[in-house]
Amino acid sequence: MRTCVAVAKAAHEVVEEAMNAGVWVFGGGLENQKASIVATDGTVTDGPYPEAVGGFCVVDVPSREEALKWAAKTAGACRCAQEVREFMPDPAVGN
């Protein structure tokens, strides 16, 4: 099986597992050819930005340790390291 097809299949299997576990919120691939950087003065610089190739997923889990476990599954499926970040609550909007 071609590498990109195998990676996509493996990644979709992890997404399905997360959905079945009830932790999947949303995610998707990122289109690097249409990326734009908007500066603080409003200046727009269009990509592509090859370093931004990839995607993201959001899971709702009770702990950082659980998030790291899902990231490890995703890393194995996608054959690349994963960055893990936590959303910060915003009391102004009730989260």
Side-chain angles (χ1 to χ4, degrees), residues 15-57:
V15 169
E16 186 174 329
E17 182 183 352
M19 291 173 78
N20 291 336
V23 301
W24 181 260
V25 178
F26 68 93
L30 299 175
E31 172 57 77
N32 74 318
Q33 298 300 316
K34 297 179 182 173
S36 299
I37 302 294
V38 181
T40 56
D41 66 358
T43 302
V44 178
T45 307
D46 291 325
Y49 298 101
E51 67 276 9
V53 172
F56 70 96
C57 63

Side-chain angles (χ1 to χ4, degrees), residues 72-86:
K73 291 179 184 193
T74 304
C78 294
R79 302 178 187 179
C80 61
Q82 302 295 302
E83 181 178 336
V84 176
R85 294 186 182 217
E86 184 176 342

